[in-house]
Amino acid sequence: MAIAVYNVSATSARVSWPPSAGCLDTFYSVMYSPNWNSLLTAFKRKSFMHEERIPVSQTAAHLANLLPQTTYLLCVTCQAANPARDQCQVFATLRDGGDGQDRAGWELATAVWLTCCLLLLLVAGVLLWGCLHGGAGMCAGRSDGCSVVTDAVRSRRCSAGRLYTPRGSCDNGGQRGLLELRTLARLSGSEPA
């Protein structure tokens, strides 16, 4: 007899079997027990902890109130006969609360992932802000390598006697300073019309 056990959960399962020609006017006996190690030697009907009688018109049954994460021996016989090995099937129920534990693990992993993403965005934002504010005065799209400075800053640099001043930073101060102020105003978005 080919017994099929399916839809197994932590506390229930469904079982089906083919109709038996010798069991036309009686009932099917569905016997199952969690202590299946001791039953392998005996296979006596009275050794099973649970027995359900199913009308002959049905070839399936729903088993409820099973123990979680437990291996069962299930036998289906005609009437209340002692089962043979080919009338039995071993199956195991699922872990109780396994979905909740898995869900908690996924929630923790998601929280860690989101936290890492937020920290990464924060670091990227700080770096971008530093690049934009720290690099705004340096060569803002200019080809001659000069920094955008005002006339007052230029005159301080030129009069301080620095060993190195960028080419063109101390000559033609008035026009270059005006051009640099316009560039700075354009970059800051406050250029007058």
Side-chain angles (χ1 to χ4, degrees), residues 56-115:
V56 143
S57 59
Q58 298 178 12
T59 58
H62 177 75
L63 308 177
N65 300 321
L66 301 176
L67 299 173
Q69 204 170 359
T70 303
T71 304
Y72 280 87
L73 176 66
L74 170 95
C75 298
V76 179
T77 63
C78 181
Q79 221 158 351
N82 288 328
R85 285 188 189 268
D86 66 335
Q87 296 173 319
C88 298
Q89 178 75 28
V90 175
F91 73 96
T93 55
L94 301 178
R95 182 175 51 176
D96 187 27
D99 292 340
Q101 291 173 355
D102 291 343
R103 189 176 306 126
W106 278 106
E107 288 173 359
L108 178 62
T110 303
V112 168
W113 182 80
L114 286 175
T115 303

Side-chain angles (χ1 to χ4, degrees), residues 34-42 73:
N35 297 328
W36 63 276
N37 286 334
S38 62
L39 291 174
L40 286 179
T41 56
L73 176 66

Side-chain angles (χ1 to χ4, degrees), residues 5-192:
V5 181
Y6 56 97
N7 289 349
V8 179
S9 71
T11 58
S12 66
R14 289 211 41 93
V15 59
S16 65
W17 57 91
S20 174
C23 205
L24 295 176
D25 58 349
T26 56
F27 60 88
Y28 290 106
S29 182
V30 177
M31 301 168 280
Y32 54 99
S33 180
N35 297 328
W36 63 276
N37 286 334
S38 62
L39 291 174
L40 286 179
T41 56
F43 278 105
K44 301 287 183 196
R45 194 180 118 252
K46 62 183 176 182
S47 302
F48 286 89
M49 292 179 71
H50 305 281
E51 182 179 356
E52 295 182 24
R53 293 183 176 194
I54 307 296
V56 143
S57 59
Q58 298 178 12
T59 58
H62 177 75
L63 308 177
N65 300 321
L66 301 176
L67 299 173
Q69 204 170 359
T70 303
T71 304
Y72 280 87
L73 176 66
L74 170 95
C75 298
V76 179
T77 63
C78 181
Q79 221 158 351
N82 288 328
R85 285 188 189 268
D86 66 335
Q87 296 173 319
C88 298
Q89 178 75 28
V90 175
F91 73 96
T93 55
L94 301 178
R95 182 175 51 176
D96 187 27
D99 292 340
Q101 291 173 355
D102 291 343
R103 189 176 306 126
W106 278 106
E107 288 173 359
L108 178 62
T110 303
V112 168
W113 182 80
L114 286 175
T115 303
C116 290
C117 287
L118 289 174
L119 287 174
L120 184 63
L121 284 174
L122 179 66
V123 168
V126 167
L127 289 174
L128 182 63
W129 182 84
C131 287
L132 291 176
H133 285 80
M138 297 174 52
C139 304
R142 306 207 27 190
S143 63
D144 60 358
C146 293
S147 60
V148 179
V149 292
T150 63
D151 282 336
V153 172
R154 179 178 288 108
S155 65
R156 276 187 292 191
R157 283 186 183 167
C158 292
S159 63
R162 293 177 27 177
L163 293 176
Y164 170 76
T165 56
R167 183 170 43 106
S169 63
C170 294
D171 58 348
N172 208 2
Q175 289 178 349
R176 187 171 286 275
L178 184 59
L179 179 63
E180 290 174 353
L181 283 176
R182 284 186 182 154
T183 304
L184 184 61
R186 190 173 352 114
L187 288 173
S188 67
S190 61
E191 183 178 11

